[in-house]
Amino acid sequence: MLKFLGKLLNRHLTMAVEPIDVNVPEEEIIGLLPSTNQVELLRRKKKLQDFLRFATRQLDKNESQRLCRVAKRVLADFEDSFEALSDVLLDTDGQRRGHWVLMQLDWRDREEIVWQVSEILFTFGISERWEHDCGAEFRSTSEALQALSDWLSEKELALLHFETNSDFYCSMIVRTSEVSAAKQLALDAQLTLYDHAEFFGANTWRSQA
């Protein structure tokens, strides 16, 4: 055994070392390095994952990780972070009933608000419900969302809205104490997230919708 170890150690000590070629063309070196676009994509994936971990923190770990993977996969194909988030919202592999975290609705579909709010509150472990007939009680989606925002604020919760650059609404509910953190994480992920008053101030046309 000692002879074997001696031979093994001696082999490494006496093995001829091939000279290192220092005259490698610069283009070959550059080709081995990640491109600027690749580095930026990796950074954006990391930031989007950080945001989604925050947005899904009330879900079980497996479901949170699954939604993060959906967004990261889509981000490889789209330049816009909201495109990736949209797959979490709308894709068949996206969020599921019982694990709802992001509210989604067309500007005309205020009847879709109540069930989504109930789903989101459920993930927070909140049993109280916002019960309204939005189609009959409110003249517009913006009016219904204002009433919801007022109700949530009484519960130390806040309604936040993503900039979608369309008439499509995408919103989330967070604890009032977490508003600043949510907005910063969204900004880092190249998402624009407003509190309720800011959103309708920046999108005055929505007040009529």
Side-chain angles (χ1 to χ4, degrees):
M1 183 68 179
L2 291 176
K3 287 183 179 179
F4 171 77
L5 289 174
K7 289 181 179 180
L8 184 64
L9 293 172
N10 186 59
R11 183 189 65 176
H12 286 293
L13 290 172
T14 60
M15 185 180 296
V17 179
E18 294 183 6
I20 298 173
D21 184 3
V22 295
N23 298 312
V24 180
E26 184 178 353
E27 59 270 19
E28 290 188 20
I29 296 176
I30 293 174
L32 295 173
L33 299 175
S35 69
T36 302
N37 288 343
Q38 289 175 320
V39 172
E40 174 62 14
L41 179 60
L42 289 173
R43 189 194 70 80
R44 288 174 58 205
K45 282 186 176 182
K46 170 66 167 59
K47 295 299 183 182
L48 184 59
Q49 186 174 36
D50 289 344
F51 173 77
L52 282 171
R53 280 175 178 162
F54 170 83
T56 61
R57 66 203 178 285
Q58 67 270 32
L59 304 181
D60 64 76
K61 184 178 179 180
N62 289 338
E63 181 65 7
S64 175
Q65 290 178 341
R66 187 186 69 80
L67 293 175
C68 287
R69 287 194 298 271
V70 170
K72 285 173 66 179
R73 183 183 68 240
V74 177
L75 192 58
D77 299 321
F78 294 95
E79 294 184 1
D80 188 88
S81 294
F82 190 74
E83 291 282 353
L85 188 66
S86 294
D87 262 45
V88 173
L89 286 165
L90 302 171
D91 193 75
T92 53
D93 291 332
Q95 61 181 354
R96 299 166 177 167
R97 296 291 293 263
H99 304 279
W100 215 255
V101 290
L102 299 172
M103 187 163 62
Q104 51 185 343
L105 63 148
D106 184 83
W107 69 275
R108 297 163 296 187
D109 294 339
R110 57 185 181 274
E111 296 84 357
E112 296 288 305
I113 297 175
V114 171
W115 75 263
Q116 292 189 75
V117 171
S118 295
E119 287 270 334
I120 294 170
L121 293 176
F122 173 78
T123 68
F124 278 101
I126 298 173
S127 59
E128 193 171 357
R129 294 291 177 261
W130 189 70
E131 299 289 355
H132 287 276
D133 182 347
C134 291
E137 295 179 43
F138 305 108
R139 294 169 296 177
S140 65
T141 299
S142 60
E143 188 175 285
L145 290 174
Q146 181 61 60
L148 171 61
S149 178
D150 292 342
W151 183 84
L152 289 171
S153 65
E154 296 173 0
K155 310 291 185 284
E156 297 188 349
L157 297 169
L159 182 64
L160 307 182
H161 305 280
F162 295 90
E163 180 56 73
T164 66
N165 294 310
S166 71
D167 56 10
F168 173 79
Y169 286 92
C170 177
S171 310
M172 66 184 297
I173 295 172
V174 301
R175 301 193 186 281
T176 304
S177 60
E178 297 174 329
V179 169
S180 294
K183 291 167 73 173
Q184 185 59 55
L185 286 166
L187 181 63
D188 292 344
Q190 298 185 20
L191 297 164
T192 303
L193 187 62
Y194 296 102
D195 63 41
H196 185 76
E198 288 175 333
F199 181 71
F200 283 95
N203 298 270
T204 53
W205 62 272
R206 290 184 182 271
S207 299
Q208 309 303 319

